[in-house]
Amino acid sequence: MADSFNFELVSPERLLLSEAASEVIIPGADGDMTVMANHAPVMTNVKPGIVEVKSASGSSNRYVVFGGFADILPDGCTVLAESAVHVDDIDREALEQRIQNTKEDLQDAKTDAEKSRIAEHLDNLTTLQSAV
Amino acid sequence: MPSLKDLRNRIATVKATQKITKAMQMVAAAKLRRAQEAAEAARPYSQRMSAVLGNIAGAVTEGHDTPHLMTGTGEDVTHLLVVCTAERGLCGGFNSQIARLARERINALQAEGKEIKILCVGKKGYDILKRQYESLIIDRVDLREVKRIGYSDADTIAKQIIDLFNHGGFDICTLFYSEFKSVISQIPTAQQIIPAGTGNSEAEQANGGAVYEYEPDAETILNDLIPRNIAVQIFSALLENSASEQGARMSAMDSATRNAGEMIDKLTLSYNRQRQAQITKELIEIISGAEAL
């Protein structure tokens, strides 16, 4: 059996998940990354996407997160998500609404830097929508 | 001297009021439990957030890249006071305590010649403060429609504040809310959120200790993290506030119910006395009438 580490998924409203996991896939700002036990300390931005948790007992769960941070240490990993829900509980209409809002933001954006940032965010959201 | 009928009506009125205050107390108790649970559930996030922030603050060397939100503008001219209060009254001294603390601060700052802007969150604080400082209030946030305070509400307020800051609207931002200690004690608190205090980050960094790799890089993360941290602070302040509000309302309504009970006792006593007096009077009339025959 692979080594396990303590994984925590926290949203501002509550502590969503705290368990021993063997493998966690995080949608990092520079691409997806898989975290396993004894990972080097990394701190990364999380983009909107799906966090996949393989717990030490073998079961696997998927959570949708909308941005946040991951704090990775050799013996633990904490994802601070701005908003997180289990894939099964995702509210498709809310997601649609978010995409709509982002599109409007894109039209209102003034500077190029802002535009590219929002476009990237929109891209992440649409990818997410097709994934769930 | 009120007549018997008047007294009966009074007693009925007070009884009806007592029923209402009693019901409000019970509703507040139920809401308090929920508010407390919400505040407790939100605690892990803010704890970890400050740990992460402490970690990263140590990693980013103070330079030009450090975001202004953290270091401040370097000036101390314009103050933004964010005053969080309840949407409803009938909760004892809750709203006025927060308003009083804010007023003291405003007066002290005005005496120093600082410029002041006020952002009201919640209707009651606005009502109290507009009497004196209407010209200073730049905006108000209404949470009346919000049943349960969510992170998105706090996020909206935070975005508004940060927007204002980026446009040079103020130098220092202080948050006023009521800290929930217990049902009978809520402490009005002032907390500075911009620039974010780095005073205690040293201690928090010590437990992190490890050398982190940052992806994409520390500044980018910090730039993203600090606005979020502000939103989290506002969020936890709002949660504390709602717990405090319900606590204050509960104890206020408890004493109102008790006062109503005392009042009913008093009124019943004088009602009975008067009834007795009337009976005695009638008896005397009958007896003296009989004697006269």
Side-chain angles (χ1 to χ4, degrees), chain B residues 278-293:
Chain B
Q278 207 169 347
I279 292 166
T280 317
K281 207 175 90 195
E282 274 170 18
L283 275 178
I284 290 172
E285 273 166 13
I286 292 167
I287 293 166
S288 49
E291 270 174 3
L293 282 174

Side-chain angles (χ1 to χ4, degrees), chain A residues 8 12-13 41-43 68 71, chain B residues 41-42 48 151 212-213 215 228:
Chain A
E8 282 178 344
E13 270 101 7
V42 173
M43 175 117 38
D71 178 14
Chain B
R48 287 190 176 85
Y151 178 68
Y212 273 93
E213 244 176 72
E215 220 176 273
R228 223 160 266 191

Side-chain angles (χ1 to χ4, degrees), chain A residues 8 10-15 28-31 33 40-46 66-69 71-74 78 80-82, chain B residues 38 41-42 44-45 48-49 52 55-56 149-152 155 208 210-216 220-221 224-225 228 232 235:
Chain A
E8 282 178 344
V10 207
S11 75
E13 270 101 7
R14 65 204 179 97
L15 180 67
D30 289 353
M33 58 203 267
V42 173
M43 175 117 38
T44 178
N45 278 353
V46 175
F66 294 104
F69 303 89
D71 178 14
I72 300 158
L73 287 166
T78 309
L80 298 170
E82 190 186 310
Chain B
Y45 191 83
R48 287 190 176 85
M49 184 64 108
V52 168
N55 248 319
I56 206 162
I149 293 163
Y151 178 68
S152 50
D155 202 34
V211 183
Y212 273 93
E213 244 176 72
Y214 296 98
E215 220 176 273
T220 318
I221 296 182
D224 202 19
L225 189 104
R228 223 160 266 191
V232 167
F235 182 55

Side-chain angles (χ1 to χ4, degrees), chain B residues 179-252:
Chain B
E179 194 187 334
F180 182 80
K181 272 269 181 283
S182 71
V183 178
I184 46 163
S185 132
Q186 300 90 26
I187 301 161
T189 315
Q191 186 187 0
Q192 184 177 318
I193 52 171
I194 300 175
T198 46
N200 55 356
S201 61
E202 250 56 28
E204 278 156 4
Q205 197 205 345
N207 59 36
V211 183
Y212 273 93
E213 244 176 72
Y214 296 98
E215 220 176 273
D217 55 73
E219 276 86 19
T220 318
I221 296 182
L222 198 58
N223 276 326
D224 202 19
L225 189 104
I226 288 175
R228 223 160 266 191
N229 188 46
I230 290 168
V232 167
Q233 279 180 331
I234 293 173
F235 182 55
S236 58
L238 288 179
L239 287 177
E240 287 269 341
N241 231 8
S242 72
S244 301
E245 179 198 340
Q246 299 305 344
R249 175 163 303 132
M250 201 175 116
S251 45

Side-chain angles (χ1 to χ4, degrees), chain B residues 22-75:
Chain B
K22 181 103 197 193
M24 278 183 80
Q25 186 210 338
M26 286 195 289
V27 171
K31 281 191 178 162
L32 170 69
R33 218 196 57 228
R34 249 183 295 154
Q36 248 178 314
E37 273 168 13
E40 254 159 50
R43 215 159 280 160
Y45 191 83
S46 58
Q47 269 170 1
R48 287 190 176 85
M49 184 64 108
S50 58
V52 168
L53 192 66
N55 248 319
I56 206 162
V60 177
T61 43
E62 298 262 331
H64 319 287
D65 296 338
T66 328
H68 275 316
L69 283 174
M70 194 143 167
T71 54
T73 50
E75 284 173 33

Side-chain angles (χ1 to χ4, degrees), chain A residues 38-83:
Chain A
N38 302 318
H39 196 287
V42 173
M43 175 117 38
T44 178
N45 278 353
V46 175
K47 62 182 187 185
I50 291 174
V51 172
E52 192 169 345
V53 186
K54 288 204 178 93
S55 70
S57 56
S59 63
S60 167
N61 275 306
R62 279 151 42 100
Y63 294 88
V64 175
V65 296
F66 294 104
F69 303 89
D71 178 14
I72 300 158
L73 287 166
D75 55 350
C77 171
T78 309
V79 172
L80 298 170
E82 190 186 310
S83 155

